Amino acid sequence: LQLVESGGGLVQPGGSLRLSCAASGFALDYYAIGWFRQAPGKEREGVLCITSRGARTNYAASVKGRFTISRDNAKNTVYLQMNSLKPEDTGVYYCARSVHGSSCNLSPREYDYWGQGTQVTVSS
C-alpha cells in the first residue's frame, strides 16, 4: 500500500500549484482522502479532504476559496489545486488515507496511511 505525492515546488505569492497523490495497493474508491501540511516548528494541520466518491469535501478556513480537492478514482489519484498562494502556505504537504469512506474530517487521527510528503515553498 502506497501514497505518493508530487507537484510541489517553489512558487511566487499569488501563484498556483497542483499537487497529485497517486495511490497503489488498495482500492482508492473505498476511502476518503485528506491533504495535510506541516510548516517548520508547527503541528501538522488538515487542509482539505474528500469522500470516497467525491460527493463531499471538508476544508480548513485558511484555504477557503483558494484551494480545491478533486479525485479521479479511475486513475487512483487525488488532486489538490492551490491558487492565490501565500507565504504562510509554505510547508510539506502530505496526502493520507482516511479510515472512513463516506465522510471525512481533518483530524490526523482519522487517517491510517500517509505519503512521504512534497515540499511547497511560497516566496518571492
Side-chain angles (χ1 to χ4, degrees), residues 102-123:
S102 58
S103 65
C104 73
N105 62 52
L106 297 177
S107 170
R109 294 188 299 271
E110 300 293 319
Y111 294 79
D112 57 0
Y113 287 95
W114 295 76
Q116 82 290 347
T118 185
Q119 176 70 45
V120 171
T121 303
V122 184
S123 175

Side-chain angles (χ1 to χ4, degrees), residues 6-8 17-21 35 78-80 82 93 118 120:
S6 61
L17 281 176
R18 188 175 82 154
L19 305 184
S20 298
C21 171
W35 282 97
V78 177
Y79 304 98
L80 179 65
M82 306 186 294
Y93 282 70
T118 185
V120 171

Side-chain angles (χ1 to χ4, degrees), residues 6-70:
S6 61
L10 173 64
V11 63
Q12 292 186 343
S16 298
L17 281 176
R18 188 175 82 154
L19 305 184
S20 298
C21 171
S24 61
F26 67 99
L28 182 69
D29 54 357
Y30 283 100
Y31 297 93
I33 298 293
W35 282 97
F36 295 78
R37 66 186 179 189
Q38 189 164 20
K42 295 189 176 181
E43 292 187 357
R44 189 171 298 188
E45 66 167 340
V47 178
L48 276 165
C49 63
I50 186 168
T51 53
S52 59
R53 301 301 174 95
R56 289 191 296 277
T57 62
N58 199 353
Y59 56 86
S62 58
V63 304
K64 182 181 179 181
R66 300 188 299 121
F67 291 12
T68 57
I69 188 171
S70 61

